[in-house]
Amino acid sequence: MAGRYGRPRSFLRMRTLAGQVFLLQVAIVVLLVAASVTALVLQSRAGSEREARNRSVAVAETFANAPGMEAALRSPDPTAVLQPKAEAARKGSGVDFVVVLNLDAVRYTHPLPDRIGKKFVGDVGPALDGRVVTERIDGTIGPLVQAVVPVRGANGQVVGLVSAGITISKVSGVVEDQFPLLFGSAAGILLLTMGGTALVTRRLRRQTRGLGPTEMTRMYEHHDAVLHAVREGVVIVGGDRRLLLANDEARRLLGLPPDVEGRPVAELGLDPVMTGLLVSGRTATDEVHSVGTRLLAVSQRATDRNGGPPGSVTTLRDTTELQALTGKAATARGRLKLLYDAGTEVGTALDVVRTCEELADFATARFADYATVDLAEGVLRGEEPTLARATTDGLRRSAFSGARDDTGLHPLGSVIRFAPETDIGAGLLRSEALLYTDLTRRPGWRPPDPERAERIMECGFHSLIAVPMRARGVILGVTMFWRAQRPEPFEDEDLSVAEELVARAAVSIDNARRYSREHNVAVTLQRSLLPQGLPDQSAIDAAYRYLPAQAGLGGLGGVGGDWFDIIPLPGARVALVVGDVVGHGLHAAATMGRLRTAVHNFSTLDLPPDELLWHLDELVARIDLDESAEGFEGGGVTGATCLYAIYDPASGRCTMARAGHLQPVIVGPDGDAVFADVPGGPPLGLGGMPFETLDVQLPQDSRLVLYTDGLVEDRRRDIDEGLERLRDTLSGHPDRTPEETCEAVLRVLVPGRARDDIALLVGRTRLLAAEDVAEWDVPSDPSAVARVRSDVSRKLAEWNLVEEAFTTELILSELVTNSIRYATGPIRVRLIRDRTLICEVFDRSSTSPHLRQAASTDEGGRGLFLVAQLAERWGTRYTDDGGKVIWTEQLLQPDVNGVG
């Protein structure tokens, strides 16, 4: 039909019989021409190869049997005799080469002189046996056929070989000359065929309008079937305003009689408005007309466009049922949107109570007038819920939402027990939802308290849905939806929506419950690993803050790996430590605990900061190896940093070292804050690099501020900006206490909830009073021990520590005697009055004494044992100059100077 009204038609998609015959004839002619050319080419190739084989054999045999051939081969220089003759034979016969060979297949002749004397390329074995050999090869001059024949002597023996060869292209040119004539004939035949077929096609197209008989019959059959099968009425009106066609659906919708074709539209008895539309022939698109009890959507187009016949085509669609379906579809879309919005508004936080409140608030805003959520007590605590406990222990009302509080419903926080004999209790046991369209007709919902039930009815409650909250096959609680202000009751579709809404919320609540359980375990572990308070010491006034990360913004609800510590050391010194383990969760907290314990253990050895960090680095590397070997899913320690500082209140000296940690801040007594230039070391676990220390002298009332990166680093600002804000916050306030300093820093740098763990430690330095420290230089002479004992006795009397004098004299006698006997260089004794009485003996020996049990026959070896018995604690530490210090601590009486 495309060509019927002047539209273009594809030449290769002709469906007429004439067109198909035309294409068939053209295809046959093309195939015949192609077959002829192919046959000629194949015949030419076969003939050319045969001709080349015959010519090469003839030339080779002729030259091999030429007179004087044997004599030439036996001459002293066969090449000089045979080369001119071979070239003359090659040029005269038209072959490409004539080559004479000896029995070793070495050339005597060749068209290219530089190849004379080289091996012949080809099969010469049969020729040496007296046979003629021909073969087709691809040589450097193209495909060719070469023949090798033997040269026989007078006695019939083979004395040499002759090879002649010719390229196939030299003998194939005759057939190729016939190609122009063949192609010209084929083109002429093709043109004649196309011309004749075109004439026939043009005549047939006028007769059939471009269609064959079968195609026309099939087209009309298909059109008729489609017209009477579609659920859309079709009416065709001619230019004379008579009805030409009306399908079955149009007859049904318009109520037309059977014999309407050919009758005027005005005589069909239709509605005047519909009759006017059909007669006018105007364009209409989805106009709604009332025909009897039906609403019809009518569209109409003229048929005379693009050269068609005059008239119009009208389509009719019954939209009566569509109106009702549209209302139901809108309701369904509303419910789907409600469930979609619930997925985005309910369960936004991993908090059980918060999720219950979101469910209740969402339900009252979009679905019901009142909503309550009751959960088992174990769910609120993060425990695994059980149906038995839910029914026996009761459910706690965790969320309540509605316009009024005095409705008779149980208030928020109350415990509700649903007896198994009630409808809701039985529904809980069976895990079935209940629908009450009219509360007055089904009393099974009523609570045991009649007054409460009466109060509920007085407030206008008339419909209820109770849905057990179920997750992973376990009942978590029950959710109830009530209607009081809305007049329409809940329906079966509302029950399905309520079940889906509660099911989605139950998953979120169960996730929050399991999160709460894991969070409680992690927090308990973390709290047990962090310091529970500040130790007693006199070196610094300290304050600290630890802020976990906000839940949902980092890790397992704030459980991380930041930590701090204050560790008292011998000699009234103190160690301040801050560390950070990358990551959050149980693994980070456990790793933090291991590192903190390791630092405590290493500090008992009284190691310098750089050596302690070296041992800690080795420990982290060993942890990584162990966890990698065991396939631990946590992946080992992904990164850890540490800052370790030792402060001595006797000298005011502070020694610091860091492993990948941020620089501490030192605030002077005048309020000036600077970053301590502690040499940087790699994070723990990398290994291979030494750690360096920084020694600074801190005046009285200086503040040392240690922190983790969560304090200064944030997504909204660069770390350099955070460090500058920290320094500005600490500067200019020399009178702040450590507690006030912590509050000020957190108020400025962390105004909201922390996105990462924060550990902050502030220590204000003290210096021991000069009257609480006594020092003596002791010469390396045994007689000096008595003078030391006398000086110590007088000093203890000044300090009102007479009761400790005897014990202290014994301890110092043994320690000084050992230093005089086994050490070299100067010896110094220091006595410190602090919370304990500290005795220190300095010498230049690096040998540390060890406690041992002396035998009954030993003359010595009991001095250190005696010291250990008299002192509360004792130990050894090494100094920077290569010497050591042996120290002891003795408890003081509580009533002496208010210490002890």
Side-chain angles (χ1 to χ4, degrees), residues 335 367 432-436 464-467 481 490-501:
R335 287 169 176 162
F367 183 66
E432 293 180 358
L434 300 176
L435 169 63
Y436 296 88
L464 166 66
I465 291 179
V467 182
F481 306 97
F490 287 117
E491 301 175 350
D492 292 336
E493 291 81 2
D494 296 322
L495 178 62
S496 300
V497 173
E499 289 178 322
E500 181 66 22
L501 185 63

Side-chain angles (χ1 to χ4, degrees), residues 401-424:
S401 179
R404 299 171 55 183
D405 296 331
D406 56 341
T407 58
L409 299 176
H410 288 278
L412 189 67
S414 58
V415 177
I416 307 171
R417 293 176 175 83
F418 298 98
E421 57 271 12
T422 63
D423 289 353
I424 298 179

Side-chain angles (χ1 to χ4, degrees), residues 571-640:
R573 297 169 304 140
V574 67
L576 286 78
V577 193
V578 168
D580 185 5
V581 176
V582 176
H584 296 83
L586 290 176
H587 181 235
T591 303
M592 174 268 290
R594 298 169 73 176
L595 296 183
R596 179 170 178 258
T597 302
V599 170
H600 270 270
N601 293 335
F602 292 147
S603 66
T604 59
L605 302 177
D606 213 346
L607 298 174
D610 54 340
E611 292 187 24
L612 185 142
L613 291 181
W614 183 85
H615 286 288
L616 200 62
D617 179 71
E618 289 289 315
L619 174 64
V620 173
R622 195 156 52 247
I623 293 175
D624 281 337
L625 289 176
D626 293 343
E627 294 183 348
S628 299
E630 295 174 0
F632 180 67
E633 63 179 8
V637 182
T638 57

Side-chain angles (χ1 to χ4, degrees), residues 199-228:
L199 293 175
V200 176
T201 303
R202 187 174 182 181
R203 180 65 180 270
L204 290 176
R205 182 176 298 172
R206 280 199 301 266
Q207 298 296 326
T208 63
R209 295 183 179 271
L211 297 174
T214 304
E215 186 177 6
M216 293 178 64
T217 302
R218 185 183 299 111
M219 181 190 68
Y220 284 116
E221 290 176 349
H222 289 173
H223 284 188
D224 187 67
V226 171
L227 282 173
H228 294 288

Side-chain angles (χ1 to χ4, degrees), residues 609-897:
D610 54 340
E611 292 187 24
L612 185 142
L613 291 181
W614 183 85
H615 286 288
L616 200 62
D617 179 71
E618 289 289 315
L619 174 64
V620 173
R622 195 156 52 247
I623 293 175
D624 281 337
L625 289 176
D626 293 343
E627 294 183 348
S628 299
E630 295 174 0
F632 180 67
E633 63 179 8
V637 182
T638 57
T641 64
C642 183
L643 173 65
Y644 188 84
I646 297 178
Y647 174 68
D648 187 354
S651 62
R653 177 189 179 193
C654 183
T655 305
M656 295 175 281
R658 64 188 179 104
H661 207 80
L662 295 174
Q663 301 275 22
V665 181
I666 298 177
V667 183
D670 57 354
D672 187 24
V674 295
F675 288 99
D677 191 16
V678 182
L684 299 173
L686 297 183
M689 295 291 292
F691 297 97
E692 300 181 34
T693 60
L694 171 69
D695 289 335
V696 294
Q697 199 71 25
L698 298 181
Q700 175 103 0
D701 293 329
S702 298
R703 277 165 290 165
L704 185 61
V705 181
L706 284 68
Y707 53 93
T708 56
D709 58 357
L711 180 66
V712 295
E713 191 173 17
D714 191 88
R715 297 177 182 176
R716 297 166 295 183
R717 66 169 181 256
D718 187 68
I719 188 172
D720 293 334
E721 179 185 352
L723 291 172
E724 188 63 26
R725 292 183 64 180
L726 173 62
R727 192 186 65 81
D728 293 342
T729 304
L730 295 173
S731 298
H733 300 279
D735 55 341
R736 280 179 178 167
T737 65
E739 286 287 342
E740 294 171 343
T741 302
C742 289
E743 290 296 330
V745 168
L746 293 181
R747 184 171 58 252
V748 174
L749 273 79
V750 192
R753 296 292 301 273
R755 291 179 173 268
D756 192 10
D757 301 337
I758 296 175
L760 175 64
L761 179 60
V762 179
R764 184 171 60 184
T765 61
R766 297 175 180 172
L767 288 177
L768 295 178
E771 60 270 15
D772 291 333
V773 180
E775 293 185 271
W776 299 273
D777 291 328
V778 181
S780 297
D781 185 358
S783 61
V785 175
R787 187 170 64 254
V788 170
R789 295 179 62 173
S790 176
D791 294 339
V792 168
S793 179
R794 284 195 302 272
K795 176 57 68 174
L796 292 178
E798 294 177 9
W799 288 347
N800 198 19
L801 297 177
V802 178
E803 295 184 4
E804 283 77 12
F806 178 74
T807 303
T808 305
E809 290 177 10
L810 287 179
I811 291 174
L812 286 177
S813 296
E814 293 296 334
L815 296 182
V816 172
T817 301
N818 283 341
S819 296
I820 294 174
R821 179 177 301 175
Y822 301 109
T824 59
I827 301 172
R828 184 162 52 91
V829 173
R830 185 167 70 173
L831 205 62
I832 300 175
R833 181 180 62 173
D834 192 43
R835 296 176 183 272
T836 60
L837 181 60
I838 303 171
C839 300
E840 297 178 335
V841 177
F842 298 78
D843 59 42
R844 297 299 299 273
S845 173
S846 61
T847 302
S848 177
H850 296 281
L851 184 65
R852 65 184 181 89
Q853 185 71 41
S856 58
T857 58
D858 291 342
E859 295 183 359
R862 297 175 178 83
L864 199 57
F865 180 79
L866 180 62
V867 170
Q869 297 298 316
L870 296 176
E872 181 68 20
R873 293 195 309 154
W874 73 279
T876 304
R877 70 174 184 271
Y878 294 96
T879 59
D880 297 338
D881 56 1
K884 70 175 183 298
V885 179
I886 303 178
W887 56 269
T888 64
E889 288 186 3
Q890 300 167 246
L891 296 179
L892 300 179
Q893 296 297 327
D895 56 343
V896 177
N897 293 334

Side-chain angles (χ1 to χ4, degrees), residues 333-663:
R333 283 196 302 270
R335 287 169 176 162
L336 288 176
K337 188 175 186 306
L338 183 143
L339 294 176
Y340 173 79
D341 293 341
T344 59
E345 298 180 24
V346 178
T348 59
L350 286 173
D351 185 87
V352 174
V353 175
R354 178 58 184 160
T355 304
C356 294
E357 294 172 348
E358 290 174 348
L359 172 60
D361 293 340
F362 180 84
T364 55
R366 305 282 293 275
F367 183 66
D369 296 323
Y370 290 85
T372 60
V373 182
D374 307 321
L375 294 182
E377 293 281 359
V379 175
L380 295 172
R381 294 191 297 267
E383 301 172 357
E384 286 289 340
T386 61
L387 181 59
R389 295 189 62 181
T391 54
T392 57
D393 298 347
L395 304 177
R396 183 171 295 277
R397 179 138 295 175
S398 304
F400 177 93
S401 179
R404 299 171 55 183
D405 296 331
D406 56 341
T407 58
L409 299 176
H410 288 278
L412 189 67
S414 58
V415 177
I416 307 171
R417 293 176 175 83
F418 298 98
E421 57 271 12
T422 63
D423 289 353
I424 298 179
L428 273 175
L429 292 175
R430 298 191 304 267
S431 186
E432 293 180 358
L434 300 176
L435 169 63
Y436 296 88
T437 57
D438 189 354
L439 295 179
T440 60
R441 296 183 179 180
R442 293 179 59 186
W445 64 271
R446 291 177 176 270
D449 185 1
E451 294 182 0
R452 186 178 297 276
E454 189 64 26
R455 177 62 180 161
I456 291 175
M457 296 302 297
E458 290 176 357
C459 291
F461 289 88
H462 60 84
S463 188
L464 166 66
I465 291 179
V467 182
M469 188 169 288
R470 183 184 182 93
R472 297 186 299 112
V474 179
I475 298 297
L476 306 179
V478 63
T479 302
M480 288 184 283
F481 306 97
W482 306 79
R483 279 188 178 175
Q485 285 80 26
R486 308 185 193 197
E488 64 275 6
F490 287 117
E491 301 175 350
D492 292 336
E493 291 81 2
D494 296 322
L495 178 62
S496 300
V497 173
E499 289 178 322
E500 181 66 22
L501 185 63
V502 173
R504 296 189 180 191
V507 174
S508 299
I509 291 175
D510 188 59
N511 290 337
R513 177 195 63 78
R514 289 188 289 175
Y515 165 80
S516 298
R517 181 185 60 190
E518 296 178 3
H519 175 68
N520 292 336
V521 172
V523 168
T524 302
L525 172 63
Q526 185 187 38
R527 288 178 177 174
S528 67
L529 297 177
L530 287 173
Q532 303 302 311
L534 296 177
D536 293 333
Q537 45 82 33
S538 304
I540 60 172
D541 291 329
Y544 66 89
R545 293 291 186 274
Y546 178 81
L547 298 182
Q550 180 180 355
L553 298 179
L556 248 177
V559 178
D562 289 20
W563 55 283
F564 64 94
D565 225 328
I566 298 177
I567 306 173
L569 298 177
R573 297 169 304 140
V574 67
L576 286 78
V577 193
V578 168
D580 185 5
V581 176
V582 176
H584 296 83
L586 290 176
H587 181 235
T591 303
M592 174 268 290
R594 298 169 73 176
L595 296 183
R596 179 170 178 258
T597 302
V599 170
H600 270 270
N601 293 335
F602 292 147
S603 66
T604 59
L605 302 177
D606 213 346
L607 298 174
D610 54 340
E611 292 187 24
L612 185 142
L613 291 181
W614 183 85
H615 286 288
L616 200 62
D617 179 71
E618 289 289 315
L619 174 64
V620 173
R622 195 156 52 247
I623 293 175
D624 281 337
L625 289 176
D626 293 343
E627 294 183 348
S628 299
E630 295 174 0
F632 180 67
E633 63 179 8
V637 182
T638 57
T641 64
C642 183
L643 173 65
Y644 188 84
I646 297 178
Y647 174 68
D648 187 354
S651 62
R653 177 189 179 193
C654 183
T655 305
M656 295 175 281
R658 64 188 179 104
H661 207 80
L662 295 174
Q663 301 275 22

